[in-house]
């Protein structure tokens, strides 16, 4: 609740404060020049300012050799792109851009979709909604029952939907891959935000095709570039570019190269004020 009260961009779907219960994660943020806020009676601590790429790094990355930590971060970013784009790309291709599908796969896709009575957009929205219902049901039930509901429900519903002609088997694969990729995201708040963004991109892809998908991604980038967190840019150190800080964002550089704290980028208003002075 405190995070929502001091948030500079309350209407943004992206979380702007990193919340954790791990002491090593809090200490690493303090060493990086961040501020940590501890509330009496709460097991969670949030740090600020927080950049977008920090939601894809884990304290466990520093406990392994730097090539492995870098590979894990890249894998999480790939999972981020798959989560928001894979199902939307399927809708775009099957609705407007059949020429992008290889000929051999096109025959299998046409055969799979020949019995489906719904357009790809409605088909994808129905299956994504079903996956979200299974996810929420599994989260609200006890752990053992929740895991069983998620696995059995996904297999049974998916197989029955394909046999009944309710959906195509290729869409089931696309939705399943997108759901699995969302679990790679470390922060649950960021994962929930990406699930909401995925629905928006599916609608844009179903209406405008690849143009709508690219326009949606471009809007997200523009939106994140304008978001600030306690005066710092949300896309630090990419925008504004800070080459020295990239050693601990997109990649996890070796420790002998991580001797300086990351710099906090100034907002455009602060930059303009400095120029006027």
């Amino acid at each position: 609740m405190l995070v929502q009260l001091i948030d500079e961009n309350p209407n943004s779907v992206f979380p702007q404060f990193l919340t954790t219960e791990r002491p090593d994660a809090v200490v690493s943020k303090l060493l990086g020049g961040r501020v940590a806020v501890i509330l009496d009676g709460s097991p969670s601590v949030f740090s600020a300012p927080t950049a977008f790429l920090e939601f894809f790094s884990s304290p466990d990355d520093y406990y392994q050799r730097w090539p492995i930590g870098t590979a894990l971060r890249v894998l999480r970013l790939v999972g981020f792109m798959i989560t928001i784009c894979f199902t939307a790309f399927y809708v775009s291709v099957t609705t407007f851009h059949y020429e992008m599908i290889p000929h051999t796969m096109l025959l299998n896709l046409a055969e799979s979709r020949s019995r489906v009575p719904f357009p790809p957009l409605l088909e994808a929205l129905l299956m994504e909604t079903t996956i979200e219902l299974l996810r929420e049901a599994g989260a609200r039930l006890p752990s053992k029952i929740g895991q069983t509901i998620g696995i059995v429900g996904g297999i049974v519903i998916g197989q029955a939907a394909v046999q009944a002609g309710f959906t195509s088997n290729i869409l089931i694969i696309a939705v399943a891959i997108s759901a699995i990729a969302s679990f790679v995201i470390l922060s649950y708040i960021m994962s929930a935000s990406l699930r909401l963004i995925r629905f928006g991109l599916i609608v844009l892809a179903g209406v405008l095709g690849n143009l709508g998908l690219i326009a949606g991604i471009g809007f997200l980038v523009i939106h994140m570039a304008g978001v600030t967190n306690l005066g710092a840019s949300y896309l630090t150190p990419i925008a504004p570019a800070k080459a020295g800080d990239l050693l601990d964002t997109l990649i996890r550089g070796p420790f002998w190269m991580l001797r300086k704290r990351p710099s906090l980028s100034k907002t455009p208003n602060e930059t303009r004020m400095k120029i006027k002075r």
Side-chain angles (χ1 to χ4, degrees), residues 79-162:
F80 158 71
M81 294 302 300
I82 291 176
T83 299
I84 65 174
C85 294
F86 198 47
T87 306
F89 183 70
Y90 166 86
V91 173
S92 173
V93 168
T94 54
T95 305
F96 296 99
H97 309 286
Y98 274 103
E99 67 277 1
M100 299 180 62
I101 306 175
H103 180 68
T104 54
M105 184 179 294
L106 182 60
L107 296 177
N108 295 331
L109 180 61
E111 181 182 358
S112 176
R113 285 199 46 81
S114 60
R115 298 184 301 163
V116 178
F118 307 109
L121 174 59
L122 181 58
E123 178 190 8
L125 291 177
L126 289 174
M127 293 311 302
E128 287 286 353
T129 303
T130 303
I131 290 295
E132 294 303 323
L133 290 174
L134 288 173
R135 193 199 301 261
E136 287 300 313
R140 299 296 176 264
L141 293 173
S143 59
K144 295 183 179 179
I145 302 178
Q147 294 175 1
T148 304
I149 290 293
I151 297 175
V152 176
I155 295 175
V156 172
I157 293 177
Q159 185 68 23
V162 172

Side-chain angles (χ1 to χ4, degrees), residues 138-214:
R140 299 296 176 264
L141 293 173
S143 59
K144 295 183 179 179
I145 302 178
Q147 294 175 1
T148 304
I149 290 293
I151 297 175
V152 176
I155 295 175
V156 172
I157 293 177
Q159 185 68 23
V162 172
Q163 291 181 352
F166 189 77
T167 183
S168 64
N169 49 11
I170 299 180
L171 177 63
I172 293 293
I173 296 174
V175 171
I177 292 176
S178 298
I180 293 173
S182 67
F183 291 109
V184 179
I185 311 301
L186 300 174
S187 172
Y188 175 79
I189 302 177
M190 176 62 74
S191 178
S193 301
L194 298 182
R195 283 149 53 187
L196 181 61
I197 293 171
R198 183 168 64 216
F199 279 93
L201 292 180
I202 289 174
V203 173
L204 287 175
V207 175
L208 299 175
N210 285 344
L211 177 62
L213 179 59
I214 297 301

Side-chain angles (χ1 to χ4, degrees), residues 229-269:
N229 181 237
L230 298 186
S233 174
Y234 194 55
L235 289 183
T236 302
I238 298 177
K242 300 289 183 180
D245 295 345
L246 292 176
L247 292 174
D248 197 19
T249 50
L250 296 175
I251 62 175
R252 203 235 85 182
F255 286 124
W256 60 270
M257 298 181 66
L258 304 178
R259 297 182 178 180
K260 296 182 179 180
R261 289 182 175 179
S263 58
L264 300 179
S265 300
K266 297 181 179 180
T267 62
N269 292 331

